[in-house]
Amino acid sequence: MATIHGLALDSAPAAGFSDPDSLHRGLARWNHTRLSPTTPRVDWRLQLRRDEKMLLREGEFIEAFRARIADQVAQVPLDPEGFIAWFEELKASGPGQWDPLFDWLATEADLDQMRWFLTQEAAGEAGFDDLVAMTQVKLPARPKLELARNYWDEMGRGNMGGMHGPMLDMTVAGLELTPTIESTLWQSLALANTMTAFATTRRYAFHSVGALGVVELTAPTRVASVAAGLKRLGLAPKLRKYFDLHAVLDVEHSKAWNAEALVPLAETMPEVLPAIAEGALMRLLCGQRCFEAYRAVLWAEAEVRQPAPLLRQAG
């Protein structure tokens, strides 16, 4: 059982690893290095040997995580209509949905608390655009086209000012946030590591389809709460733009993803549905553990800030 500030937390995304903090910081550093463009190095053989070691750790983590949810996945319907209904129900009853953290961010969090939350989120951001781009490789035509349309939106439809990633970067810069691996909770790193493993490893390609699809399905209510909190705190519209946009756009993205990626796969490749279901559930479980960890820190600090009650003097 992991702890944060002395508070016990379920370590489900660690999936049996005795030191999840070390595991996910190591994977996060490796992912940052291996995905960064570079030039040829004379020690490339050494790098390959390091990559092999880290790929084994990544694979062991993902496989242990899969084993933890096997019973849940075994209950998922595999007919197209039943599967889509199950998937869409995750918005209402999936792990982490309607977490009280987000109402609190919308209505109560102060600027320092909001900045801490956004720093954690930014440090754990794996880059939705890149994840989509890597996932679409060699997919069947209809799902591939839908991921292409989604990616084009992420790229601002060719307009740099409309690119989603730089919008988030603008918020980070405007709030003077300094996200780093060292200062990020391992639960946030675990989420990014899981999404990266799915998108970069072809045996998990359909897990990635499920994980990315469930992000589009469930994100709008959460980002709308963040946007409301930023507005309440008086932040300029340009610093809220990323959240305001996704609160609306992801609703349409989810409808299109389900209709043009999930339905065709369910109809023509039903054997991949368990992998899609696993990816969706694993992504939601990672998010749930993040929200619990964030609350453990933020609400503990909020209690410390409360003034002590005045004692009524006798007589």
Side-chain angles (χ1 to χ4, degrees), residues 191-254:
L191 189 156
N193 290 336
T194 300
M195 297 295 286
T196 301
F198 288 165
T200 58
T201 310
R202 298 319 290 160
R203 68 179 178 274
Y204 301 130
F206 294 106
H207 286 75
S208 194
V209 171
L212 293 168
V214 88
V215 171
E216 299 285 30
L217 179 72
T218 62
T221 51
R222 294 194 298 272
V223 296
S225 294
V226 176
L230 294 173
K231 184 176 182 179
R232 172 179 57 82
L233 292 167
L235 270 71
K238 68 178 183 179
L239 300 184
R240 310 192 310 259
K241 186 176 181 180
Y242 176 86
F243 301 96
D244 287 333
L245 175 67
H246 283 270
V248 177
L249 185 62
D250 283 355
V251 174
E252 297 306 315
H253 276 178
S254 177

Short mmCIF file of all heavy atoms in Angstrom, two decimals, residues 191-254:
data_model
loop_
_atom_site.label_atom_id
_atom_site.label_comp_id
_atom_site.label_asym_id
_atom_site.label_seq_id
_atom_site.Cartn_x
_atom_site.Cartn_y
_atom_site.Cartn_z
N LEU A 191 -0.31 6.93 -15.21
CA LEU A 191 -1.29 7.14 -16.27
C LEU A 191 -0.59 7.39 -17.60
O LEU A 191 -0.90 6.76 -18.61
CB LEU A 191 -2.20 8.31 -15.90
CG LEU A 191 -3.42 8.57 -16.79
CD1 LEU A 191 -4.49 9.32 -16.00
CD2 LEU A 191 -3.07 9.36 -18.03
N ALA A 192 0.39 8.30 -17.60
CA ALA A 192 1.11 8.61 -18.83
C ALA A 192 1.89 7.40 -19.33
O ALA A 192 1.94 7.12 -20.53
CB ALA A 192 2.05 9.79 -18.60
N ASN A 193 2.50 6.65 -18.41
CA ASN A 193 3.27 5.47 -18.80
C ASN A 193 2.37 4.41 -19.43
O ASN A 193 2.77 3.73 -20.39
CB ASN A 193 3.99 4.88 -17.60
CG ASN A 193 5.13 5.76 -17.11
OD1 ASN A 193 5.68 6.55 -17.85
ND2 ASN A 193 5.48 5.61 -15.84
N THR A 194 1.18 4.25 -18.90
CA THR A 194 0.24 3.27 -19.44
C THR A 194 -0.19 3.66 -20.84
O THR A 194 -0.19 2.82 -21.76
CB THR A 194 -0.98 3.14 -18.51
OG1 THR A 194 -0.55 2.71 -17.21
CG2 THR A 194 -1.99 2.13 -19.06
N MET A 195 -0.57 4.92 -21.02
CA MET A 195 -0.99 5.38 -22.34
C MET A 195 0.14 5.28 -23.35
O MET A 195 -0.07 4.92 -24.52
CB MET A 195 -1.49 6.81 -22.25
CG MET A 195 -2.72 7.01 -21.37
SD MET A 195 -4.19 6.17 -22.02
CE MET A 195 -4.60 7.24 -23.40
N THR A 196 1.37 5.58 -22.93
CA THR A 196 2.51 5.51 -23.83
C THR A 196 2.81 4.07 -24.21
O THR A 196 3.10 3.77 -25.38
CB THR A 196 3.74 6.16 -23.18
OG1 THR A 196 3.45 7.52 -22.87
CG2 THR A 196 4.95 6.11 -24.11
N ALA A 197 2.73 3.16 -23.25
CA ALA A 197 2.96 1.74 -23.54
C ALA A 197 1.96 1.24 -24.58
O ALA A 197 2.32 0.52 -25.52
CB ALA A 197 2.85 0.92 -22.26
N PHE A 198 0.70 1.61 -24.42
CA PHE A 198 -0.32 1.18 -25.37
C PHE A 198 -0.01 1.67 -26.78
O PHE A 198 -0.08 0.92 -27.76
CB PHE A 198 -1.69 1.72 -24.96
CG PHE A 198 -2.30 1.08 -23.75
CD1 PHE A 198 -3.37 1.68 -23.09
CD2 PHE A 198 -1.85 -0.12 -23.25
CE1 PHE A 198 -3.96 1.10 -21.98
CE2 PHE A 198 -2.42 -0.72 -22.14
CZ PHE A 198 -3.49 -0.10 -21.50
N ALA A 199 0.32 2.95 -26.92
CA ALA A 199 0.46 3.56 -28.24
C ALA A 199 1.76 3.16 -28.94
O ALA A 199 1.81 3.13 -30.17
CB ALA A 199 0.38 5.08 -28.13
N THR A 200 2.79 2.85 -28.18
CA THR A 200 4.09 2.56 -28.79
C THR A 200 4.34 1.08 -29.01
O THR A 200 5.34 0.72 -29.64
CB THR A 200 5.23 3.12 -27.92
OG1 THR A 200 5.15 2.54 -26.60
CG2 THR A 200 5.15 4.64 -27.82
N THR A 201 3.46 0.22 -28.51
CA THR A 201 3.67 -1.23 -28.59
C THR A 201 2.53 -1.84 -29.38
O THR A 201 1.37 -1.77 -28.96
CB THR A 201 3.70 -1.84 -27.17
OG1 THR A 201 4.62 -1.09 -26.36
CG2 THR A 201 4.13 -3.30 -27.21
N ARG A 202 2.84 -2.43 -30.52
CA ARG A 202 1.76 -2.85 -31.43
C ARG A 202 0.89 -3.94 -30.85
O ARG A 202 -0.27 -4.08 -31.24
CB ARG A 202 2.35 -3.29 -32.77
CG ARG A 202 3.08 -2.20 -33.53
CD ARG A 202 2.39 -0.85 -33.47
NE ARG A 202 1.14 -0.80 -34.23
CZ ARG A 202 0.20 0.11 -34.02
NH1 ARG A 202 0.32 1.02 -33.08
NH2 ARG A 202 -0.89 0.08 -34.77
N ARG A 203 1.40 -4.74 -29.91
CA ARG A 203 0.52 -5.76 -29.32
C ARG A 203 -0.55 -5.12 -28.44
O ARG A 203 -1.52 -5.78 -28.06
CB ARG A 203 1.33 -6.80 -28.53
CG ARG A 203 2.00 -6.30 -27.27
CD ARG A 203 2.75 -7.43 -26.55
NE ARG A 203 3.44 -6.95 -25.36
CZ ARG A 203 4.65 -6.43 -25.35
NH1 ARG A 203 5.33 -6.31 -26.50
NH2 ARG A 203 5.22 -6.03 -24.22
N TYR A 204 -0.37 -3.84 -28.10
CA TYR A 204 -1.37 -3.12 -27.32
C TYR A 204 -2.10 -2.05 -28.15
O TYR A 204 -2.73 -1.15 -27.59
CB TYR A 204 -0.73 -2.45 -26.10
CG TYR A 204 -0.05 -3.41 -25.16
CD1 TYR A 204 1.25 -3.18 -24.73
CD2 TYR A 204 -0.71 -4.55 -24.70
CE1 TYR A 204 1.89 -4.06 -23.86
CE2 TYR A 204 -0.08 -5.44 -23.83
CZ TYR A 204 1.22 -5.19 -23.41
OH TYR A 204 1.84 -6.07 -22.55
N ALA A 205 -2.05 -2.16 -29.47
CA ALA A 205 -2.67 -1.13 -30.32
C ALA A 205 -4.16 -0.99 -30.04
O ALA A 205 -4.69 0.13 -30.00
CB ALA A 205 -2.44 -1.45 -31.79
N PHE A 206 -4.85 -2.11 -29.85
CA PHE A 206 -6.30 -2.02 -29.62
C PHE A 206 -6.60 -1.58 -28.19
O PHE A 206 -7.66 -0.99 -27.93
CB PHE A 206 -6.97 -3.34 -29.98
CG PHE A 206 -6.87 -3.64 -31.45
CD1 PHE A 206 -5.99 -4.61 -31.93
CD2 PHE A 206 -7.61 -2.93 -32.38
CE1 PHE A 206 -5.87 -4.87 -33.29
CE2 PHE A 206 -7.51 -3.18 -33.74
CZ PHE A 206 -6.63 -4.14 -34.19
N HIS A 207 -5.68 -1.85 -27.26
CA HIS A 207 -5.81 -1.25 -25.93
C HIS A 207 -5.78 0.28 -26.07
O HIS A 207 -6.54 0.98 -25.40
CB HIS A 207 -4.65 -1.70 -25.03
CG HIS A 207 -4.75 -3.10 -24.54
ND1 HIS A 207 -4.50 -4.18 -25.35
CD2 HIS A 207 -5.08 -3.60 -23.32
CE1 HIS A 207 -4.66 -5.29 -24.64
NE2 HIS A 207 -5.01 -4.97 -23.41
N SER A 208 -4.90 0.77 -26.93
CA SER A 208 -4.80 2.21 -27.13
C SER A 208 -6.07 2.79 -27.72
O SER A 208 -6.52 3.87 -27.33
CB SER A 208 -3.60 2.53 -28.02
OG SER A 208 -3.28 3.90 -27.98
N VAL A 209 -6.67 2.07 -28.67
CA VAL A 209 -7.94 2.51 -29.24
C VAL A 209 -8.99 2.67 -28.14
O VAL A 209 -9.74 3.65 -28.10
CB VAL A 209 -8.43 1.53 -30.32
CG1 VAL A 209 -9.85 1.86 -30.76
CG2 VAL A 209 -7.49 1.57 -31.53
N GLY A 210 -9.05 1.70 -27.23
CA GLY A 210 -10.00 1.79 -26.13
C GLY A 210 -9.68 2.89 -25.15
O GLY A 210 -10.56 3.63 -24.70
N ALA A 211 -8.40 3.04 -24.82
CA ALA A 211 -7.99 4.05 -23.84
C ALA A 211 -8.21 5.46 -24.37
O ALA A 211 -8.72 6.33 -23.67
CB ALA A 211 -6.52 3.84 -23.46
N LEU A 212 -7.82 5.70 -25.63
CA LEU A 212 -8.01 7.03 -26.22
C LEU A 212 -9.49 7.33 -26.38
O LEU A 212 -9.94 8.46 -26.15
CB LEU A 212 -7.29 7.11 -27.56
CG LEU A 212 -5.76 7.05 -27.51
CD1 LEU A 212 -5.19 6.85 -28.91
CD2 LEU A 212 -5.19 8.31 -26.87
N GLY A 213 -10.26 6.32 -26.78
CA GLY A 213 -11.70 6.52 -26.94
C GLY A 213 -12.39 6.86 -25.64
O GLY A 213 -13.30 7.69 -25.60
N VAL A 214 -11.96 6.23 -24.54
CA VAL A 214 -12.62 6.51 -23.27
C VAL A 214 -12.20 7.87 -22.72
O VAL A 214 -12.96 8.49 -21.96
CB VAL A 214 -12.35 5.38 -22.25
CG1 VAL A 214 -11.07 5.59 -21.44
CG2 VAL A 214 -13.54 5.20 -21.31
N VAL A 215 -11.03 8.37 -23.12
CA VAL A 215 -10.67 9.74 -22.77
C VAL A 215 -11.64 10.72 -23.43
O VAL A 215 -12.17 11.63 -22.78
CB VAL A 215 -9.22 10.06 -23.19
CG1 VAL A 215 -8.93 11.56 -23.03
CG2 VAL A 215 -8.23 9.25 -22.37
N GLU A 216 -11.89 10.52 -24.72
CA GLU A 216 -12.83 11.40 -25.42
C GLU A 216 -14.23 11.30 -24.81
O GLU A 216 -14.95 12.30 -24.71
CB GLU A 216 -12.90 11.01 -26.91
CG GLU A 216 -11.58 11.14 -27.67
CD GLU A 216 -11.21 12.57 -27.98
OE1 GLU A 216 -11.58 13.47 -27.20
OE2 GLU A 216 -10.54 12.80 -29.00
N LEU A 217 -14.60 10.11 -24.37
CA LEU A 217 -15.92 9.89 -23.80
C LEU A 217 -16.10 10.59 -22.46
O LEU A 217 -17.16 11.18 -22.18
CB LEU A 217 -16.15 8.38 -23.63
CG LEU A 217 -17.47 7.93 -23.01
CD1 LEU A 217 -18.62 8.14 -24.00
CD2 LEU A 217 -17.38 6.45 -22.60
N THR A 218 -15.09 10.54 -21.61
CA THR A 218 -15.27 10.96 -20.22
C THR A 218 -14.67 12.32 -19.89
O THR A 218 -14.99 12.89 -18.84
CB THR A 218 -14.64 9.92 -19.26
OG1 THR A 218 -13.22 9.83 -19.52
CG2 THR A 218 -15.28 8.55 -19.46
N ALA A 219 -13.81 12.85 -20.74
CA ALA A 219 -13.10 14.09 -20.39
C ALA A 219 -13.99 15.34 -20.31
O ALA A 219 -13.71 16.21 -19.49
CB ALA A 219 -11.96 14.34 -21.38
N PRO A 220 -15.03 15.48 -21.15
CA PRO A 220 -15.73 16.77 -21.18
C PRO A 220 -16.22 17.29 -19.83
O PRO A 220 -16.06 18.49 -19.54
CB PRO A 220 -16.90 16.51 -22.14
CG PRO A 220 -16.36 15.48 -23.09
CD PRO A 220 -15.51 14.59 -22.22
N THR A 221 -16.80 16.44 -18.99
CA THR A 221 -17.30 16.93 -17.71
C THR A 221 -16.16 17.37 -16.80
O THR A 221 -16.29 18.36 -16.07
CB THR A 221 -18.15 15.86 -17.00
OG1 THR A 221 -17.41 14.62 -16.95
CG2 THR A 221 -19.45 15.62 -17.76
N ARG A 222 -15.04 16.66 -16.84
CA ARG A 222 -13.91 17.04 -15.98
C ARG A 222 -13.28 18.35 -16.44
O ARG A 222 -13.01 19.23 -15.62
CB ARG A 222 -12.85 15.93 -15.97
CG ARG A 222 -13.33 14.63 -15.33
CD ARG A 222 -12.15 13.71 -15.04
NE ARG A 222 -11.46 13.30 -16.25
CZ ARG A 222 -11.77 12.26 -17.00
NH1 ARG A 222 -12.81 11.51 -16.67
NH2 ARG A 222 -11.07 11.95 -18.08
N VAL A 223 -13.02 18.47 -17.74
CA VAL A 223 -12.36 19.70 -18.20
C VAL A 223 -13.29 20.90 -18.07
O VAL A 223 -12.83 22.03 -17.87
CB VAL A 223 -11.83 19.57 -19.65
CG1 VAL A 223 -10.75 18.50 -19.72
CG2 VAL A 223 -12.93 19.28 -20.64
N ALA A 224 -14.60 20.67 -18.15
CA ALA A 224 -15.54 21.78 -17.94
C ALA A 224 -15.45 22.29 -16.50
O ALA A 224 -15.54 23.50 -16.26
CB ALA A 224 -16.97 21.33 -18.25
N SER A 225 -15.26 21.38 -15.55
CA SER A 225 -15.10 21.80 -14.15
C SER A 225 -13.82 22.58 -13.96
O SER A 225 -13.79 23.58 -13.23
CB SER A 225 -15.11 20.57 -13.24
OG SER A 225 -16.37 19.93 -13.26
N VAL A 226 -12.75 22.12 -14.59
CA VAL A 226 -11.48 22.85 -14.49
C VAL A 226 -11.63 24.24 -15.12
O VAL A 226 -11.18 25.24 -14.55
CB VAL A 226 -10.35 22.07 -15.17
CG1 VAL A 226 -9.06 22.89 -15.17
CG2 VAL A 226 -10.13 20.72 -14.48
N ALA A 227 -12.28 24.30 -16.28
CA ALA A 227 -12.50 25.59 -16.94
C ALA A 227 -13.32 26.53 -16.04
O ALA A 227 -13.02 27.72 -15.94
CB ALA A 227 -13.20 25.39 -18.27
N ALA A 228 -14.34 25.98 -15.38
CA ALA A 228 -15.17 26.80 -14.49
C ALA A 228 -14.35 27.33 -13.32
O ALA A 228 -14.49 28.49 -12.91
CB ALA A 228 -16.35 25.98 -13.98
N GLY A 229 -13.47 26.47 -12.78
CA GLY A 229 -12.63 26.92 -11.68
C GLY A 229 -11.65 28.00 -12.12
O GLY A 229 -11.43 28.99 -11.39
N LEU A 230 -11.07 27.86 -13.30
CA LEU A 230 -10.14 28.88 -13.80
C LEU A 230 -10.87 30.21 -14.03
O LEU A 230 -10.32 31.28 -13.74
CB LEU A 230 -9.49 28.39 -15.09
CG LEU A 230 -8.55 27.19 -14.95
CD1 LEU A 230 -8.10 26.70 -16.33
CD2 LEU A 230 -7.35 27.52 -14.08
N LYS A 231 -12.07 30.13 -14.56
CA LYS A 231 -12.85 31.36 -14.78
C LYS A 231 -13.19 32.02 -13.45
O LYS A 231 -13.10 33.25 -13.30
CB LYS A 231 -14.12 31.03 -15.56
CG LYS A 231 -14.94 32.25 -15.91
CD LYS A 231 -16.14 31.88 -16.78
CE LYS A 231 -16.93 33.12 -17.18
NZ LYS A 231 -18.09 32.77 -18.06
N ARG A 232 -13.61 31.21 -12.47
CA ARG A 232 -13.93 31.74 -11.14
C ARG A 232 -12.73 32.46 -10.52
O ARG A 232 -12.90 33.48 -9.83
CB ARG A 232 -14.39 30.58 -10.24
CG ARG A 232 -14.58 30.95 -8.77
CD ARG A 232 -15.06 29.76 -7.95
NE ARG A 232 -14.16 28.63 -8.05
CZ ARG A 232 -13.04 28.48 -7.34
NH1 ARG A 232 -12.67 29.44 -6.49
NH2 ARG A 232 -12.29 27.41 -7.47
N LEU A 233 -11.55 31.94 -10.79
CA LEU A 233 -10.33 32.52 -10.23
C LEU A 233 -9.81 33.71 -11.02
O LEU A 233 -8.79 34.31 -10.68
CB LEU A 233 -9.24 31.44 -10.14
CG LEU A 233 -9.52 30.33 -9.12
CD1 LEU A 233 -8.58 29.16 -9.33
CD2 LEU A 233 -9.43 30.86 -7.69
N GLY A 234 -10.52 34.06 -12.11
CA GLY A 234 -10.20 35.27 -12.85
C GLY A 234 -9.13 35.13 -13.90
O GLY A 234 -8.56 36.15 -14.34
N LEU A 235 -8.84 33.91 -14.34
CA LEU A 235 -7.82 33.74 -15.36
C LEU A 235 -8.32 34.20 -16.72
O LEU A 235 -9.50 34.05 -17.05
CB LEU A 235 -7.38 32.28 -15.43
CG LEU A 235 -6.19 31.94 -14.50
CD1 LEU A 235 -6.65 31.94 -13.05
CD2 LEU A 235 -5.61 30.60 -14.86
N ALA A 236 -7.42 34.72 -17.51
CA ALA A 236 -7.76 35.24 -18.84
C ALA A 236 -8.27 34.12 -19.74
O ALA A 236 -7.86 32.96 -19.59
CB ALA A 236 -6.53 35.88 -19.46
N PRO A 237 -9.15 34.44 -20.69
CA PRO A 237 -9.69 33.42 -21.60
C PRO A 237 -8.62 32.60 -22.31
O PRO A 237 -8.79 31.40 -22.51
CB PRO A 237 -10.52 34.24 -22.58
CG PRO A 237 -10.97 35.43 -21.80
CD PRO A 237 -9.80 35.75 -20.91
N LYS A 238 -7.49 33.20 -22.69
CA LYS A 238 -6.47 32.44 -23.41
C LYS A 238 -5.86 31.35 -22.54
O LYS A 238 -5.38 30.34 -23.05
CB LYS A 238 -5.38 33.37 -23.94
CG LYS A 238 -4.52 34.03 -22.87
CD LYS A 238 -3.44 34.90 -23.50
CE LYS A 238 -2.53 35.51 -22.44
NZ LYS A 238 -1.46 36.33 -23.06
N LEU A 239 -5.88 31.55 -21.21
CA LEU A 239 -5.34 30.54 -20.31
C LEU A 239 -6.35 29.44 -20.01
O LEU A 239 -5.99 28.40 -19.48
CB LEU A 239 -4.87 31.18 -19.00
CG LEU A 239 -3.77 32.23 -19.14
CD1 LEU A 239 -3.32 32.72 -17.77
CD2 LEU A 239 -2.58 31.68 -19.92
N ARG A 240 -7.61 29.70 -20.37
CA ARG A 240 -8.67 28.69 -20.18
C ARG A 240 -9.01 27.99 -21.49
O ARG A 240 -9.81 27.05 -21.49
CB ARG A 240 -9.94 29.35 -19.63
CG ARG A 240 -9.76 30.24 -18.43
CD ARG A 240 -11.09 30.60 -17.80
NE ARG A 240 -12.08 31.08 -18.73
CZ ARG A 240 -12.40 32.38 -18.91
NH1 ARG A 240 -11.75 33.31 -18.24
NH2 ARG A 240 -13.33 32.73 -19.76
N LYS A 241 -8.43 28.45 -22.58
CA LYS A 241 -8.88 28.02 -23.91
C LYS A 241 -8.82 26.51 -24.09
O LYS A 241 -9.75 25.90 -24.65
CB LYS A 241 -8.03 28.71 -24.98
CG LYS A 241 -8.50 28.47 -26.41
CD LYS A 241 -7.67 29.27 -27.40
CE LYS A 241 -8.16 29.04 -28.83
NZ LYS A 241 -7.35 29.82 -29.81
N TYR A 242 -7.73 25.88 -23.64
CA TYR A 242 -7.58 24.43 -23.81
C TYR A 242 -8.76 23.70 -23.17
O TYR A 242 -9.34 22.78 -23.75
CB TYR A 242 -6.27 23.98 -23.18
CG TYR A 242 -6.05 22.48 -23.19
CD1 TYR A 242 -5.48 21.85 -24.29
CD2 TYR A 242 -6.41 21.71 -22.09
CE1 TYR A 242 -5.29 20.48 -24.29
CE2 TYR A 242 -6.20 20.34 -22.09
CZ TYR A 242 -5.65 19.73 -23.19
OH TYR A 242 -5.46 18.37 -23.19
N PHE A 243 -9.14 24.11 -21.97
CA PHE A 243 -10.20 23.43 -21.23
C PHE A 243 -11.58 23.78 -21.77
O PHE A 243 -12.45 22.92 -21.88
CB PHE A 243 -10.08 23.77 -19.74
CG PHE A 243 -8.75 23.37 -19.17
CD1 PHE A 243 -7.72 24.30 -19.07
CD2 PHE A 243 -8.50 22.07 -18.78
CE1 PHE A 243 -6.48 23.94 -18.56
CE2 PHE A 243 -7.27 21.69 -18.28
CZ PHE A 243 -6.25 22.62 -18.18
N ASP A 244 -11.79 25.06 -22.12
CA ASP A 244 -13.06 25.45 -22.73
C ASP A 244 -13.30 24.69 -24.03
O ASP A 244 -14.42 24.22 -24.29
CB ASP A 244 -13.07 26.96 -23.01
CG ASP A 244 -13.19 27.79 -21.75
OD1 ASP A 244 -13.75 27.30 -20.75
OD2 ASP A 244 -12.71 28.95 -21.75
N LEU A 245 -12.26 24.53 -24.84
CA LEU A 245 -12.40 23.85 -26.13
C LEU A 245 -12.74 22.39 -25.94
O LEU A 245 -13.67 21.87 -26.56
CB LEU A 245 -11.10 23.99 -26.92
CG LEU A 245 -11.03 23.22 -28.25
CD1 LEU A 245 -12.01 23.80 -29.25
CD2 LEU A 245 -9.61 23.25 -28.81
N HIS A 246 -12.01 21.70 -25.07
CA HIS A 246 -12.21 20.26 -24.92
C HIS A 246 -13.53 19.92 -24.22
O HIS A 246 -14.06 18.82 -24.40
CB HIS A 246 -11.02 19.64 -24.19
CG HIS A 246 -9.83 19.46 -25.08
ND1 HIS A 246 -9.61 18.33 -25.82
CD2 HIS A 246 -8.81 20.30 -25.39
CE1 HIS A 246 -8.51 18.46 -26.53
NE2 HIS A 246 -8.01 19.66 -26.29
N ALA A 247 -14.06 20.83 -23.44
CA ALA A 247 -15.35 20.59 -22.81
C ALA A 247 -16.46 20.43 -23.86
O ALA A 247 -17.45 19.74 -23.63
CB ALA A 247 -15.70 21.74 -21.87
N VAL A 248 -16.27 21.05 -25.02
CA VAL A 248 -17.26 20.99 -26.10
C VAL A 248 -16.84 20.01 -27.19
O VAL A 248 -17.59 19.13 -27.60
CB VAL A 248 -17.49 22.39 -26.70
CG1 VAL A 248 -18.45 22.33 -27.87
CG2 VAL A 248 -17.98 23.36 -25.63
N LEU A 249 -15.59 20.15 -27.66
CA LEU A 249 -15.13 19.39 -28.82
C LEU A 249 -15.08 17.89 -28.56
O LEU A 249 -15.40 17.08 -29.44
CB LEU A 249 -13.76 19.89 -29.25
CG LEU A 249 -13.17 19.29 -30.53
CD1 LEU A 249 -14.06 19.61 -31.72
CD2 LEU A 249 -11.76 19.82 -30.76
N ASP A 250 -14.70 17.49 -27.34
CA ASP A 250 -14.55 16.07 -27.06
C ASP A 250 -15.88 15.32 -27.09
O ASP A 250 -15.90 14.11 -27.28
CB ASP A 250 -13.85 15.86 -25.72
CG ASP A 250 -12.35 16.10 -25.81
OD1 ASP A 250 -11.86 16.35 -26.93
OD2 ASP A 250 -11.68 16.06 -24.76
N VAL A 251 -16.98 16.04 -26.90
CA VAL A 251 -18.30 15.39 -27.01
C VAL A 251 -18.50 14.88 -28.43
O VAL A 251 -18.92 13.73 -28.65
CB VAL A 251 -19.42 16.38 -26.61
CG1 VAL A 251 -20.79 15.74 -26.86
CG2 VAL A 251 -19.28 16.79 -25.15
N GLU A 252 -18.18 15.72 -29.42
CA GLU A 252 -18.31 15.32 -30.81
C GLU A 252 -17.24 14.29 -31.19
O GLU A 252 -17.51 13.36 -31.95
CB GLU A 252 -18.21 16.54 -31.72
CG GLU A 252 -19.33 17.55 -31.50
CD GLU A 252 -20.71 16.91 -31.62
OE1 GLU A 252 -20.93 16.14 -32.58
OE2 GLU A 252 -21.56 17.19 -30.75
N HIS A 253 -16.04 14.46 -30.66
CA HIS A 253 -14.98 13.49 -30.92
C HIS A 253 -15.40 12.10 -30.44
O HIS A 253 -15.13 11.09 -31.10
CB HIS A 253 -13.69 13.90 -30.21
CG HIS A 253 -12.88 14.89 -30.98
ND1 HIS A 253 -11.71 15.43 -30.50
CD2 HIS A 253 -13.06 15.44 -32.21
CE1 HIS A 253 -11.20 16.26 -31.39
NE2 HIS A 253 -12.00 16.29 -32.44
N SER A 254 -16.02 12.03 -29.28
CA SER A 254 -16.42 10.74 -28.72
C SER A 254 -17.47 10.06 -29.60
O SER A 254 -17.39 8.86 -29.87
CB SER A 254 -16.96 10.93 -27.30
OG SER A 254 -17.42 9.70 -26.78
#
